[in-house]
Structures are given as structure tokens and as C-alpha cells.
Amino acid sequence: MAPPRISPHVPQFALLFVGGTTFGIWAAQIRPSTRLAALLATAAHLTGLLAGLGMLAMLLLMTRIPAVEHGIGADTLARWHARGGRTIVLLMLAHTGLAWWAYSAYNHVGPVDGLLDILGYPALAAATFGCALLVAVAVFSARAVRTRVSHESWLRIHLLTYVGTAIAFFHQPAGPDLGGAPVLAWLWTFLHVQVAVLLVWYRVVVPLRALRRHDIRVLRVYDETPDVVSVLMTGRGLASLDAASGQFFRWRFLTRRLCWTSLPFSVSAPVRDDTLRITVKVVGDHTRRVKRLRPGTRVLATGPFGAMTARRRTRRKVLLIAGGIGITPMRALFETLPGEPGDITLLYRATDSAQLALREELEEIAWRRSCHVHYLLGSSRGPDNPVTSARLRRLVPDIGEHDVYLCGSPDMTRATLRVLRRAGVPRGQVHAEVFDA
């Protein structure tokens, strides 16, 4: 039985509906005035309501509800989260600035005295502190800063999102738009409690139940290339996880240094005989520790997640394109996608042959299934770029009749999408998943 899936249109419609309702609540309480302080306060109320609603929506999208993850895709959710986060921070800053200005204008005091007065109210002081935490997370999430911070440090800083949201919440039900209407304040609080329950359930309870039920442990770790390793794991009843090729889990290896971080890695081979396998590129502190895992280490796995599975297929013929470690979900799909001889083609993009992981397995699968595998080697810069529309049409003459599954780094994915369009592949036939290398 296929797991339930929520269409991307459902959360979009829900956000528009709730956003419209929030706007209506604000509009119903407007009192006409030409005073500067009143106009500023009115704008502050609207930006505050929208910021609070946005924070709630972003937390809900990242609760890891399976139906949402399977229907929308983790990469799409992450993009929505990033874009929404930037919008929310701007709304919070606008709300804070407008409220500060309105208070100062209404009480005829300077900006410094106005700020000191505001911080004298415990709820407003807490909201200001929560806003500062969320702005700090946004600063560290900006690409210019994040590239200079280790992924492990960024993950720890990002946890402050929950602290900042919780602190800022206590100011909201007491605000002028909700505090004067007990039913609305109760409903607003109820929505936040529901999201908090979902967060605890899917991020804590469900993984712990899976840990007890499946008892997954590391069987062995072995090299694929100098900087790529595979981790083979075993457990009980792993077939009941319903992990489809192309999906990934969030893995928490229960060692002293790794147990605090959930690492997203795709399954690089179908589940069989109660074994799971992931293949990992060693690029940071956490992945280096993964390489040093010992047999018997317990593993907490949450998932599966990801929507880039056989369910997206709309054509008889399929072209799989992998860049770098993006080969991991493609290798599983290459083995399991149904097809007659010649229906499935795999293109594997790498700088040189030394970076080709799982090569022997790919060639064995291609031979056994009478499928095609091609290696596109070379630099993406300059005239020798191996990924061009002419090259793709030469390797796959009827490429426009194929579904295309694409997985790679953001830069590789964007470049390949442009090439596919020039090669005549309709956008609706391209199913892409992006990973941060």
C-alpha cells in the first residue's frame, strides 16, 4: 500500500487561506486615523501577525510529517523553508522597527528612551530577544556567511530557531490584535501547541520507536574511493520501513560525537535480507567520523523521505543523471526501475575516473539488465565541458521521450537543467533533487 502523500498545492492553499484570515482579523480592527503613531502601530500589528503566522508555517513544514515529505520532497521543503525564513526575518524587523517608532511617537520620547521603556515590559523584552536570536540564525544562514562556517556549527546555530520562536510566541497572544479577543488568542495558542506536538512526535517519538523496533546496527564500513565510503547496516524487519529506491533517511549514529546530529543520506542499494546501505562522501568532521564507525554501533534512522521515486515516472524510457555523490539514489533506481532492455540509461558526471563511486556495481547492473551507463568526465568549465545538449542528444537520441531523474549539487543541477531544456526535454518530465555537497 502506497504511503499517503500531500500535494504541494495543499500547503500553498492552506497558507493563503490562513494568511487571508489573518489579514481579515487585522483589517477588522483598524480604526481610521491620521496620527502618525496610529498609522505606525497599525502597520506594526500587520507585520507582527504575518511574521507569527510565517514562523508557525515554517515549523510545520519542517516537522518531517511523512505525507508532506513524500508528496512535496525534502529539497522543495528546504527551499520553501529558506525563502520563507528570509521573508519572516524581514517581517519581524519591520514589526520591531514600526512598533518602536510608534511607541516613541505616541509618548513623545526619543528612540533610546522609547527602546528602554519597551524593554521594561517582560513580554516585549522576551519578544525582542527572540527576534534577535532569529536574526542571528538568518545571518549565519546567508550564503556568504554559511560558506565560512562548518556544517556542524551551522546545525547547532540553527537550533536557536526553536528557542527564538518559543520566546517570541509568548508576546503574541497578549498583543492588541489577539489579546482583546480571547477566542482568537486561544485558537492561536492551540495552533502553536499542535505544531509543537507534531515536532516532538515526528522528530523524537517516531525515531525512538523505530530504534527499538528495528535495532539497526553498523555491520561494516568500507571504502568505495579514497573519499567515499559505504556503511552497511543490519536490523530487524527492515522491509517494513518501505524504503523506495531514490529515498533517503536521516541517520543518527549513536556515538559520543555523532549522536547529536541527524545526517541525511540516500539509500544506495535496495533493502534486502534485513540490510541497509548508504554511501557517503567524506567532506567534513561528521562524515570523517562516519568513516571511523565501528561494527555494532547503534543507528537511529528516521524516514524514509524524498519524492524522487518510481512514482514520479510518466514515460516508458528513463534517463538517470547523477553528479558526484548524487549517484547514491540513482544507483538504487538504476537497479530497481522496471523496464525492458534499453529503457533505462544512466549518465554519471564526475571530474575524473578516480571519483566514480560504485562503478563495478553500475556496470554489473547495466550488463544484467541490458541497460546503458555512460561516464561524463571532465571539468564543467571551458570548451571541454562533457555535459552539453549535443552530447546528450548523441548519447540518448530520443531524449525528449524520456523521463529524466537528476541528482547533484545545486550548481550541477542548475546547469544540467538548462542543458536539458536546450536538448528538448519538457520541464514536466524532469524530476530533480538537489544536495549540498
Side-chain angles (χ1 to χ4, degrees):
M1 180 177 178
R5 299 168 186 271
I6 292 179
S7 165
H9 301 300
V10 173
Q12 291 170 343
F13 175 80
L15 184 60
L16 286 174
F17 175 78
V18 178
T21 303
T22 303
F23 185 85
I25 292 171
W26 167 80
Q29 300 183 67
I30 293 178
R31 297 293 179 267
S33 175
T34 58
R35 293 181 58 193
L36 176 62
L39 294 173
L40 292 171
T42 299
H45 296 167
L46 178 60
T47 52
L49 283 171
L50 293 178
L53 173 64
M55 286 189 286
L56 188 66
M58 291 300 101
L59 289 176
L60 181 61
L61 287 178
M62 301 309 285
T63 50
R64 299 176 185 168
I65 299 173
V68 175
E69 297 264 354
H70 295 161
I72 300 174
D75 58 331
T76 299
L77 288 172
R79 287 196 295 273
W80 287 1
H81 186 71
R83 293 169 185 167
R86 289 191 289 269
T87 302
I88 291 166
V89 168
L90 291 176
L91 285 169
M92 286 192 304
L93 290 174
H95 170 68
T96 303
L98 288 166
W100 179 11
W101 190 1
Y103 181 91
S104 301
Y106 183 81
N107 291 282
H108 305 289
V109 296
V112 175
D113 289 335
L115 178 60
L116 293 175
D117 287 348
I118 287 172
L119 294 178
Y121 296 93
L124 294 179
T128 303
F129 180 61
C131 178
L133 287 178
L134 292 170
V135 170
V137 172
V139 170
F140 276 94
S141 298
R143 181 171 296 183
V145 178
R146 187 175 173 181
T147 54
R148 293 174 170 82
V149 178
S150 70
H151 184 66
E152 293 78 13
S153 298
W154 178 82
L155 286 174
R156 296 189 190 101
I157 293 169
H158 207 69
L159 291 175
L160 293 175
T161 300
Y162 300 107
V163 179
T165 302
I167 292 173
F169 162 75
F170 291 103
H171 157 64
Q172 296 170 23
D177 296 288
L178 301 176
V183 173
L184 290 178
W186 179 88
L187 179 60
W188 193 261
T189 302
F190 175 76
L191 290 174
H192 281 75
V193 170
Q194 288 294 99
V195 171
V197 169
L198 289 172
L199 278 168
V200 172
W201 180 259
Y202 285 109
R203 284 180 172 258
V204 180
V205 177
V206 169
L208 289 176
R209 286 199 315 174
L211 177 68
R212 180 180 178 184
R213 178 182 180 185
H214 298 292
D215 191 27
I216 301 174
R217 297 176 184 266
V218 173
L219 190 61
R220 66 188 181 101
V221 180
Y222 53 94
D223 292 336
E224 298 287 356
T225 71
D227 62 349
V228 174
V229 299
S230 284
V231 181
L232 188 65
M233 292 164 279
T234 186
R236 295 192 302 261
L238 298 187
S240 65
L241 291 172
D242 294 323
S245 295
Q247 291 189 306
F248 68 95
F249 288 78
R250 289 184 171 92
W251 308 91
R252 199 178 293 272
F253 298 98
L254 302 185
T255 68
R256 184 173 63 88
R257 303 296 295 274
L258 285 174
C259 65
W260 304 105
T261 304
S262 176
L263 303 170
F265 297 127
S266 298
V267 175
S268 61
V271 177
R272 56 168 64 92
D273 299 327
D274 275 340
T275 61
L276 276 167
R277 190 186 71 178
I278 59 175
T279 302
V280 180
K281 185 173 182 180
V282 180
V283 293
D285 291 341
H286 285 340
T287 47
R288 277 191 288 272
R289 291 173 188 136
V290 168
K291 186 176 182 177
R292 296 193 294 267
L293 286 171
R294 295 179 179 179
T297 300
R298 299 196 74 184
V299 184
L300 193 156
T302 309
F305 301 115
M308 196 175 63
T309 66
R311 287 180 59 90
R312 285 195 174 184
R313 186 174 181 178
T314 63
R315 298 288 187 276
R316 179 174 66 87
K317 294 184 177 183
V318 176
L319 171 63
L320 307 172
I321 304 179
I325 200 61
I327 190 60
T328 53
M330 295 302 174
R331 182 259 179 247
L333 286 166
F334 194 45
E335 180 177 355
T336 60
L337 279 176
E340 299 297 323
D343 283 352
I344 314 296
T345 301
L346 171 65
L347 304 182
Y348 187 179
R349 173 80 180 86
T351 304
D352 54 57
S353 59
Q355 295 184 359
L356 297 174
L358 310 173
R359 183 172 185 172
E360 291 184 4
E361 294 183 18
L362 297 172
E363 292 177 354
E364 189 276 330
I365 294 169
W367 175 82
R368 174 163 45 86
R369 302 195 63 197
S370 298
C371 297
H372 307 292
V373 57
H374 303 283
Y375 306 109
L376 306 179
L377 305 178
S379 172
S380 59
R381 299 188 178 124
D384 296 327
N385 183 353
V387 184
T388 63
S389 56
R391 180 100 183 260
L392 292 187
R393 284 194 297 265
R394 187 164 63 252
L395 293 172
V396 190
D398 55 347
I399 189 171
E401 299 175 13
H402 286 64
D403 264 327
V404 179
Y405 287 71
L406 170 62
C407 185
S409 66
D411 289 342
M412 177 267 183
T413 300
R414 284 191 292 268
T416 305
L417 286 172
R418 291 193 294 268
V419 171
L420 288 170
R421 283 196 294 269
R422 290 195 294 269
V425 181
R427 183 66 184 89
Q429 291 172 214
V430 179
H431 318 291
E433 186 170 79
V434 181
F435 70 90
D436 287 318

